[in-house]
Amino acid sequence: MLVEELLAAVGWTQQASLTDAASLPVCLLCVSVGGHTTEIMRLMESLSAAYTPRHYVIADTDKMSEDKIVAFEKDRSPFTINRIPRSREVHQSWSSSVVSTLNALRYSLPLLFRLRPDMVLCNGPGTCVPLCIAGLLLGILGMKKVHIVYVESICRVQTLSLTGRILYLLSDYFFVQWCSLRDKYPKAIFLGRLV
Amino acid sequence: MKTVFVTVGTTRFDELIESVTSSEVAQVLKARGYERLVLQVGNGSFVPDAASCAYLSVQAYRFKESIAEDMKQADLVISHAGAGSCLEALGAGRPLLVVVNDKLMDNHQLELARQLHMDHHLLYCTCSTLTETLKNMDLSVLQPFPPGRPEHFANFLDKALGVK
């Protein structure tokens, strides 16, 4: 009884599986400034209208991505824009990165619990790590299976980014765009250059 | 007018801007039929003025909302090794010469420029070899760069997630 009340208090409900014909895949997309945004927009252009609604997540310090997203999704699909604190600045030290990632997790968990996406799609900014961890937690707690989909940037030919190395272990589908990486990371999916 | 467009993206690359406006390089460009030089200097420490080069007509700026027009009108693009700049030039179908900044610490962006060079999509040099490269370059060996295929990603995902 108490357990059920507690679960109801945090909004736990049974979710239909994705293969249920009535449900459409709800997407959570993580975007960041510059090249990452351009790449993820190109991927989004190819996804059918069935992937809806789209919930974009950007770092709170990112000003440019919001305009790009609004311009892209206008007349296309219902979408929302959500902000979380940035997990890590470029060249930030290890120890302070752990602290800032944990801070971002504090925002990511309630966001994922509320949105219950079928899929989290991301391509490299550190912002995506706490989102993917939160997605995995939803699955572990039996609340919702969230498919973690990661596409490594076209810039990565021989080595994975730091985010890539982390998400190689955590993701359900891990895409690389050069065969040299597929050779080094056997779990990776290589379909040629995607963007 | 045959035009060379030089871009450093959002970075700074003073050595490239100095080299490309030097009389040595300008003479080589002139001898190869180029008459106009357009420079996007980003966060560089100086913006060359119209008089900076005796052999070519010069236009320079730091940033623009979009450099697509300058790319389209260029007969040759000289760029730093940034992925965005390279992909934009190749996407516009322009012959591309990438100048690597060997003063920068090892930069993962070089991975892409190196691979694209190996695949014959662009030429590659440093500031110190710029003059020689421009003198001897054969742009006809460059292979067109086909666009990426995001539809392969979409088809895979549709099947994997059972989306109709």
Side-chain angles (χ1 to χ4, degrees), chain A residues 18 25 42-43 46-47 50-51 119 121 147 149 151 154-159 173 175 178 189 191 193-195, chain B residues 83 87 108-109 111-112 115-116 119 145-154 156-158 160-164:
Chain A
L18 186 57
R42 294 213 185 157
L43 293 172
S46 68
L47 289 183
Y51 291 80
M119 170 176 99
L121 172 61
H147 299 263
V149 181
V151 182
I154 190 180
C155 295
R156 292 301 186 155
V157 180
Q158 301 290 344
T159 61
Y173 303 101
F175 293 84
W178 296 93
I189 301 161
L191 302 173
R193 238 189 316 122
L194 301 174
V195 300
Chain B
L87 293 173
H108 78 263
Q109 298 250 43
E111 283 182 24
L112 181 63
Q115 183 65 45
L116 293 174
D119 294 342
F145 184 69
R149 306 289 301 276
E151 62 271 22
H152 291 163
F153 168 75
F156 183 99
L157 222 51
D158 286 348
L161 301 181
V163 174
K164 301 281 174 280

Side-chain angles (χ1 to χ4, degrees), chain B residues 23 28 58 76 138 147:
Chain B
S23 54
V28 172
V58 171
L76 171 66
D138 177 5

Side-chain angles (χ1 to χ4, degrees), chain B residues 5-9 40 61-73 77 84-85 88-89 92:
Chain B
F5 177 56
V6 180
T7 174
V8 305
Q40 180 267 319
Y61 58 90
R62 287 189 179 279
F63 296 104
K64 258 186 196 173
E65 181 94 12
S66 163
I67 56 171
E69 202 51 46
D70 286 325
M71 282 277 183
K72 222 168 60 163
Q73 296 187 8
V77 177
S85 304
E88 193 163 354

Side-chain angles (χ1 to χ4, degrees), chain B residues 10-60:
Chain B
T10 54
T11 63
R12 57 183 294 169
F13 196 177
D14 290 338
E15 205 188 339
L16 172 61
I17 303 300
E18 276 161 16
S19 306
V20 98
T21 49
S22 70
S23 54
E24 198 189 16
V25 169
Q27 281 181 74
V28 172
L29 287 174
K30 182 96 191 196
R32 295 205 64 150
Y34 298 100
E35 293 173 285
R36 193 162 76 115
L37 187 60
V38 178
L39 303 143
Q40 180 267 319
V41 307
N43 288 315
S45 59
F46 66 100
V47 183
D49 61 33
S52 31
C53 184
Y55 302 92
L56 308 162
S57 105
V58 171
Q59 237 185 289

Side-chain angles (χ1 to χ4, degrees), chain B residues 88-106:
Chain B
E88 193 163 354
L90 292 174
R94 306 287 89 206
L96 175 60
L97 168 61
V98 164
V99 182
V100 173
N101 188 348
D102 49 18
K103 300 213 166 42
L104 281 182
M105 298 273 280
D106 182 55

